[in-house]
Amino acid sequence: MGNREALLAGAKTCLLEKGFDRTSARDIATTAGVSLAAIGYHFGSRENLLFQALFAILDEWGDLSGRVLVPPDAPGLTPAQAYERMWDELLAQARAQPKMWLASMELFMQAQRQPDLLPHLTDGIRQGRSGVTAILTSTPEPDVPERSVRTLGMIQLALMSGVIMQMMADPEHPPTGADVIAGLRALSEITRHLPG
């Protein structure tokens, strides 16, 4: 592994352990086992290195989540049962990888403070919406209608972020897939009676 790769791996480790603001350039260099000057040579600054590490973590989190979203190969499950199982697996993954999920939230926070990051985050969110919609509708991603991405994809990502955030904030009462299904059914009943 070269210095660049070692620094990126070290930055990811530090982000997961300490977070963005508490990670110093020295922490990264020490974790990577390379000189402090290598950060400037390969990445220009601590911030640029940490941003690249955050995006790498977000990609890993997206890959893990995407695998969980793929409907289980379990004949006999109704669509609602398969969706409930998907939620149980997604929540279990978030419990098993809390630091990775928190790092993805940190990227959102940093993008609000660093305008140069926002277009990259926006692109990632758009890709996430499209990918989630393709998985949930069993449609090849290039064929997913934009309207479905803007509705189903947006709501699914919002649910995922919100439910996981609540689970992290109240670990004594973690939500379940059954809770999500029941909540969606209750919302469906409420919206059924909305005018027009």
Side-chain angles (χ1 to χ4, degrees):
M1 176 185 303
N3 284 354
R4 181 179 177 80
E5 294 79 16
L7 284 168
L8 193 54
K12 286 164 56 178
T13 297
C14 289
L15 281 170
L16 294 172
E17 294 302 319
K18 295 180 160 203
F20 190 98
D21 292 328
R22 291 180 48 218
T23 294
S24 70
R26 188 169 304 285
D27 293 332
I28 298 167
T30 300
T31 302
V34 300
S35 73
L36 195 57
I39 293 173
Y41 177 77
H42 289 288
F43 294 94
S45 69
R46 164 199 167 268
E47 288 75 17
N48 286 341
L49 170 54
L50 287 174
F51 293 151
Q52 288 193 34
L54 277 172
F55 282 111
I57 290 169
L58 185 62
D59 284 345
E60 289 173 27
W61 176 249
D63 289 345
L64 287 170
S65 299
R67 285 195 290 276
V68 170
L69 286 172
V70 174
D73 186 19
L77 286 183
T78 67
Q81 289 169 328
Y83 189 67
E84 181 178 329
R85 180 182 285 180
M86 182 265 322
W87 269 100
D88 285 332
E89 291 176 10
L90 182 67
L91 293 168
Q93 178 202 81
R95 279 192 299 275
Q97 302 281 344
K99 291 178 181 179
M100 188 174 279
W101 185 82
L102 289 171
S104 72
M105 290 297 99
E106 191 153 25
L107 177 57
F108 172 80
M109 296 303 295
Q110 289 301 324
Q112 304 312 301
R113 298 178 188 130
Q114 305 283 339
D116 293 348
L117 278 182
L118 195 55
H120 301 288
L121 180 62
T122 300
D123 185 54
I125 293 291
R126 288 178 179 160
Q127 288 178 30
R129 286 182 191 148
S130 180
V132 162
T133 305
I135 291 167
L136 292 176
T137 61
S138 299
T139 305
E141 197 166 343
D143 299 335
V144 174
E146 183 59 29
R147 181 72 182 143
S148 295
V149 171
R150 294 271 314 147
T151 55
L152 177 60
M154 175 187 62
I155 293 300
Q156 180 63 33
L157 282 188
L159 281 172
M160 288 166 58
S161 298
V163 170
I164 292 171
M165 187 179 296
Q166 290 180 59
M167 181 185 73
M168 301 290 280
D170 186 9
E172 298 297 315
H173 304 94
T176 66
D179 294 333
V180 173
I181 296 292
L184 287 170
R185 286 189 173 128
L187 281 172
S188 177
E189 185 61 24
I190 290 168
T191 59
R192 193 168 63 88
H193 299 294
L194 292 177

